[in-house]
Amino acid sequence: MPITRRQFLAVAALTVSVREPRAYAADQEQAVFWRAAMPGRNANVLFGYARIDASLVPDIVSDGKRLIDETQRIIAAFPNVEMTAWDLPRRTLPPIWKSISRPVADELRAALAGLPDGVPIEELSGIEVSWLLMGEGQTPPNPYLGDVLARHSRSRGRPVAFLITEKEIREQFWLPRDPIVLNDTIDEPKIAFLLDVRRRVGPIGAHLEQLYRARRGEEIYRFTAEIANQGIPDPSTFIEEEKAGALAFDRLLGLLDSTDAPTAFVVLPIGILTGETGILPRLRARGCTVTPIV
């Protein structure tokens, strides 16, 4: 059963790594762009990015191009790094159908009925099914939002840098996982939970797309926290997120506190910006003025 990074990055389009939302009194900012300025320093633009079809968010594309033109360089969290997660022969992981009851199996088959012809539904493992459910309904990106903004940036001659390099991802933060152990964490209660969420909001991937189109970053945080708190692994399982996030935050803070650096359009995954442990509240706690651009 080949499960590659390309497959689980499809799910990563809008799923985000989160922490349990305790008594988090978030404001109701409806934004994916923010201005961030340390006292006495120039303001930079922070952009909460998602891997989404650019045609779904023409307003975000337009705003992104305008804000790129207002800044002097582009800084992204990290480059695209293609790394194979697993490459297993078919049937290495047991099919989920052997471990779930008939009612759950019937609902799951109905949910998977829209998969392309040729997908061996009866051989799908628990981890495959969970990621398919979380990504269901996402529009195939052609092109990605990020691709459109990157082309615009190049047309303006904007230099591009990264907070975390490809070498650092490969050598410090890539976290191989035993697929058998990871698959064993997916049981009937977790599949039943995802199906319950699906009954409530419709296909999960499509719901997350709608939240992003509406610029509901905090709601994305709360919704994905609900899933993460059930112990359902998402693609961030393969990254040492705390270490990578700490390094990205430190470097972003240094960038914002620089006295002579050119202004930047900073591209960060929406999931690490919002939420109680996200970059936005942490910047504010360090004295940075962060205001939504609407």
Side-chain angles (χ1 to χ4, degrees), residues 189-212:
K190 290 183 175 64
I191 297 299
F193 171 80
L194 289 173
L195 291 171
D196 179 67
V197 172
R198 184 179 186 272
R199 287 194 299 273
R200 176 158 48 91
V201 303
I204 294 171
H207 178 66
L208 283 164
E209 276 190 349
Q210 290 297 324
L211 292 180
Y212 187 77

Side-chain angles (χ1 to χ4, degrees), residues 12 15 23 34 58 60 81 116 124 138 144 152 233 268 289:
T15 54
W34 293 263
I60 293 177
V81 181
L124 293 176
Q138 289 179 2
Y144 281 118
H152 180 79
L268 299 155
T289 298

Side-chain angles (χ1 to χ4, degrees), residues 144-167:
Y144 281 118
L145 166 63
D147 295 335
V148 172
L149 294 182
R151 284 200 296 269
H152 180 79
S153 175
R154 287 193 296 269
S155 75
R156 296 297 192 265
R158 297 290 192 270
V160 178
F162 299 98
L163 294 176
I164 299 177
T165 67
E166 178 174 338
K167 185 174 187 292

